[in-house]
Amino acid sequence: MKLFKRKKEPEPGQRLVLVVEGMHCSSCGLLIDDELEDIPGVRSSTTDVHSGRTTVRLEEGSGVDTVALVAAVRRAGDYRARPAG
């Protein structure tokens, strides 16, 4: 687990935003970020509990799909995710 690891600089690669339901506190966001960052090809994940959104940055050409990201959010706990937009 990579609790409290945050990067300040923007990273290259594709950016995907997920809408996440079921979060109650900042610990929920950390659990989701840790689960997403365990996926090969995910560079970083930043969850904002107040807006209910998670921004995921992927490595160039990683091939990570939305289905894998949504499944990772579900593994983190009783959360539901869908692509934003």
Side-chain angles (χ1 to χ4, degrees):
M1 243 201 280
K2 304 171 220 159
L3 290 178
F4 305 110
K5 181 189 80 153
R6 296 287 174 248
K7 297 179 183 176
K8 302 290 183 188
E9 296 295 316
E11 299 177 18
Q14 184 180 4
R15 181 180 74 106
L16 296 173
V17 178
L18 301 173
V19 175
V20 181
E21 298 174 354
M23 295 184 291
H24 305 288
C25 63
S26 59
S27 293
C28 294
L30 291 173
L31 290 170
I32 290 168
D33 290 339
D34 284 343
E35 194 66 42
L36 287 165
E37 289 175 353
D38 283 344
I39 298 173
V42 172
R43 293 182 64 105
S44 68
S45 173
T46 305
T47 299
D48 183 340
V49 176
H50 300 291
S51 71
R53 293 182 177 262
T54 297
T55 302
V56 181
R57 293 203 179 269
L58 304 174
E59 294 176 1
E60 295 286 339
S62 67
V64 176
D65 63 5
T66 306
V67 174
L69 299 175
V70 169
V73 170
R74 180 68 185 106
R75 283 192 305 273
D78 190 23
Y79 311 111
R80 293 154 309 284
R82 62 180 166 76

